[in-house]
Amino acid sequence: MSAPTRVDVKSLHLDELRGIAQPFYRAGQITDWLYKKRVNSFAEMTDLPQALRAKLANDFSFDKIDVVRVLGSTDTTRKFLFRLSDGNLIESVLIPASPALYGSPSDRRTICLSTQVGCAYGCKFCASGLDGWKRNLRPDEIVNQIMAVEEQSGERIDNIVFMGMGEPLANYDNLMRAIQIINAPWGISIGARHITISTSGLVPQIRKLAEQPLQIRLAVSLHGATDDVRGRIMPINRKYNLSALLEACRYFTSRKKQRITFEYILIAEVNDSDEQARDLANHAHSLDAKVNLIPYNNVEGLDWSPPSPDRQKRFLAVLRAPGVRATLRREKGDDIAAACGQLRLQTQKVEHASRLLAS
Ligand code: SAH
Ligand code: SF4
């Protein structure tokens, strides 16, 4: 029988640590070491009694994630590839100040985080799902991406988007636990309004998210304004169709008194017609949602392509005509394979090829 897996100390909340370490103030000392001083072992927590350090080391793991590759691009977007302790690869992207990004002020540094290894949802344009789903990330593995990127880059991150590999809402409990640690004053201390979850449209979880108290922002990956078009590129649309999804969005908006953002990748001759733009404008208008247009980023092995710049501008104009707030985002970091899951896929291919060569 294998030993039971231990919980990682960075997956615990302050109140849970209070139940583990007495007296009361010890828990605060531990979170200070973890998130303020950022040590890498229990041994470094020098103001804790030796016996407590030994007990913690015995009962909890203290994992870290290793940086495998860092790629920088001309516009200083940097991509980080990490190896988890079980060998799996995940990635995060550090995006420099960008005025149009999720309504945040322009001086913010944003990190795009992964929540799963691979993805089960198999959207036809996305690299993350090409290899299927492997596993959920633990809360500490989500939190560690931020700390590792801050350590590597020397920059402080103040905006978080869950738009890396995986479907965040399919890993709901670990995601929420990580967000609480990211948000807490004793943790990373980033305001909920600076945290955005992107989802491909998991209707029950969107409703659940609307019920929890934090003012986290929501971005919904629409990518098609009718069931026909959306269903062709996003298999999840068969489970939760557009009307069910838009109803859940409406519930979220009214419950949280918050505007959502629609993500819409523009793919040539798939979803870039004037009719789609008009339907999208109707959906956005009725929900008072913003729209973020993203030209499709080429993925090796997939045959799609982005529309011409003129077609992109035309789509934007049709969308804006009835007064919808929309931006056309140049895909930052295009040159470093920034769309989700691509760097991991490339690295896996290279590693696989070198294993073949070695064998
Ligand atoms: N699973 C979640 C979050 C991760 S994907 C979701 O789907 O929303 C984050 C964003 O990257 C999504 O909007 C997704 O559609 C987009 N994306 C995926 N592949 C892309 C590509 N090839 N080009 C541009 N954007 C892409
Ligand atoms: Fe998964 Fe999102 Fe990629 Fe779809 S777009 S396969 S949900 S990561």
Side-chain angles (χ1 to χ4, degrees):
M1 210 175 80
S2 63
T5 37
R6 292 175 305 166
V7 171
D8 195 274
V9 69
K10 281 183 235 165
S11 284
L12 296 173
H13 285 176
L14 184 67
D15 48 3
E16 290 166 328
L17 285 166
R18 282 181 180 146
I20 291 157
Q22 283 85 35
F24 194 73
Y25 60 84
R26 292 283 182 223
Q29 288 177 305
I30 297 171
T31 55
D32 270 2
W33 285 114
L34 292 175
Y35 304 110
K36 310 291 181 237
K37 297 174 208 149
R38 306 210 172 171
V39 295
N40 289 312
S41 68
F42 292 115
E44 290 166 79
M45 300 183 175
T46 47
D47 61 1
L48 300 186
Q50 184 61 47
L52 177 57
R53 279 186 259 164
K55 174 181 148 62
L56 290 171
N58 188 56
D59 294 351
F60 301 97
S61 60
F62 197 137
D63 214 359
K64 65 183 187 62
I65 55 179
D66 293 323
V67 180
V68 184
R69 282 167 80 189
V70 183
L71 297 187
S73 85
T74 44
D75 56 10
T76 76
T77 295
R78 261 155 296 163
K79 185 133 190 163
F80 297 78
L81 186 76
F82 296 110
R83 193 179 302 281
L84 305 175
S85 46
D86 66 357
N88 274 309
L89 297 170
I90 57 163
E91 55 194 69
S92 314
V93 184
L94 178 62
I95 307 157
S98 164
L101 209 67
Y102 307 100
S104 304
S106 54
D107 59 344
R108 298 204 159 262
R109 276 169 304 269
T110 300
I111 186 176
C112 174
L113 299 179
S114 294
T115 52
Q116 301 184 307
V117 181
C119 184
Y121 290 88
C123 302
K124 301 275 190 274
F125 44 78
C126 175
S128 291
L130 284 180
D131 242 6
W133 177 86
K134 286 244 177 77
R135 70 170 175 88
N136 284 332
L137 295 188
R138 304 185 309 256
D140 61 284
E141 291 171 324
I142 297 173
V143 171
N144 272 339
Q145 292 172 60
I146 306 173
M147 303 221 279
V149 167
E150 287 194 336
E151 190 185 334
Q152 266 277 329
S153 67
E155 288 182 49
R156 189 90 191 147
I157 285 150
D158 33 32
N159 211 35
I160 310 267
V161 294
F162 287 98
M163 294 189 183
M165 203 196 306
E167 168 49 53
L169 294 185
N171 185 14
Y172 192 91
D173 291 345
N174 288 352
L175 172 74
M176 291 315 291
R177 190 171 260 271
I179 286 178
Q180 280 152 5
I181 295 168
I182 293 166
N183 177 244
W186 52 262
I188 313 251
S189 198
I190 295 177
R193 284 188 170 74
H194 299 133
I195 302 175
T196 302
I197 297 174
S198 176
T199 180
S200 58
L202 272 62
V203 164
Q205 285 90 331
I206 291 174
R207 290 179 176 271
K208 197 166 158 190
L209 195 65
E211 301 297 344
Q212 63 74 47
L214 289 175
Q215 279 295 347
I216 309 162
R217 291 181 191 278
L218 182 66
V220 174
S221 291
L222 218 55
H223 311 327
T226 53
D227 279 324
D228 177 39
V229 170
R230 191 168 193 265
R232 224 180 292 155
I233 48 178
M234 298 183 75
I236 194 176
N237 199 72
R238 274 177 245 145
K239 187 156 189 198
Y240 305 115
N241 67 15
L242 258 182
S243 74
L245 175 56
L246 295 171
E247 264 325 295
C249 292
R250 190 175 311 284
Y251 182 72
F252 184 92
T253 304
S254 64
R255 184 89 200 172
K256 305 297 279 180
K257 310 253 173 307
Q258 197 195 95
R259 287 194 189 100
I260 62 166
T261 302
F262 285 138
E263 303 282 320
Y264 197 98
I265 305 180
L266 285 169
I267 311 175
E269 281 157 48
V270 173
N271 64 358
D272 62 343
S273 67
D274 283 4
E275 295 79 58
Q276 285 290 304
R278 276 191 286 270
D279 285 342
L280 176 58
N282 283 337
H283 301 321
H285 198 262
S286 82
L287 282 164
D288 198 18
K290 291 178 287 186
V291 179
N292 206 355
L293 297 177
I294 310 150
Y296 167 76
N297 210 332
N298 285 319
V299 176
E300 218 188 299
L302 299 182
D303 280 341
W304 315 102
S305 54
S308 68
D310 278 352
R311 185 67 235 155
Q312 296 177 20
K313 279 185 214 132
R314 164 85 189 155
F315 193 96
L316 179 66
V318 175
L319 193 56
R320 279 180 173 164
V324 169
R325 274 161 319 136
T327 51
L328 175 62
R329 181 144 64 94
R330 192 180 81 76
E331 193 51 67
K332 282 208 171 202
D334 204 355
D335 48 339
I336 53 155
C340 64
Q342 291 188 47
L343 184 62
R344 164 179 170 263
L345 213 65
Q346 285 170 358
T347 306
Q348 275 176 346
K349 274 191 203 149
V350 172
E351 287 184 348
H352 184 66
S354 49
R355 268 200 302 275
L356 282 180
L357 280 175
S359 65

